[in-house]
Amino acid sequence: MIRTSWLAVPTLAVALGVAGCGGSGNSSSGSSGSSSAGSSSTKTSSSSSSSSGGGSALKLAADPSGNLAFDTKTLSAKAGKVTVAFTNKSSVPHAVEIEGKGVEVKTKVITGGKASVATNLKPGTYEFYCPVDGHRMAGMEGKLTVK
């Protein structure tokens, strides 16, 4: 009986660990499902300077009809703190990931909501895309130019 109990503890620990990992199949950082965290909404590459020496607030949206597309393929920002406010009005889960020059940040995966991501960016070209499995390959990507 003691031997059986001893084996049950590691087995239970492994089972709980696997259950806690999720299994959404997408490459988000543990954030999936419906969420409405974040700020701002809709349309293309707007930018405005922040009061702390540069930076931009950008708006990006997923196609509200559920197509695997953003509302723009290009964004531009000033160097410094850049915030991307992402809106997804569709029932298809999406997120935004920004990558390049040693930066890799992303929003939560959201369905019918809003999320945002902020990071400090240096001048250069970055990629933004939807990290949900298959969405980037379907064309849900673009370029972010920082000056």
Side-chain angles (χ1 to χ4, degrees), residues 12 15 18 26 37 54-55 65 67 79 91 107 112 125 131 142-143:
L12 179 61
V18 169
N26 66 39
S65 70
N67 290 329
S91 61
T107 67
T125 302
K143 296 286 182 200

Side-chain angles (χ1 to χ4, degrees), residues 43-103:
K43 279 296 179 208
T44 59
S45 64
S46 64
S47 65
S48 60
S49 295
S50 69
S51 60
S52 60
S56 299
L58 307 176
K59 295 179 182 180
L60 182 65
D63 184 306
S65 70
N67 290 329
L68 299 183
F70 288 120
D71 63 348
T72 187
K73 292 266 187 192
T74 60
L75 294 171
S76 60
K78 292 183 181 180
K81 183 178 180 181
V82 175
T83 302
V84 176
F86 175 59
T87 301
N88 179 13
K89 292 183 179 180
S90 79
S91 61
V92 177
H94 295 298
V96 176
E97 184 161 342
I98 300 169
E99 191 175 302
K101 300 179 81 55
V103 171

Side-chain angles (χ1 to χ4, degrees), residues 4-43:
T4 304
S5 307
W6 177 249
L7 292 175
V9 171
T11 303
L12 179 61
V14 169
L16 289 174
V18 169
C21 288
S24 64
N26 66 39
S27 60
S28 70
S29 60
S31 302
S32 64
S34 296
S35 172
S36 59
S39 63
S40 240
S41 65
T42 55
K43 279 296 179 208

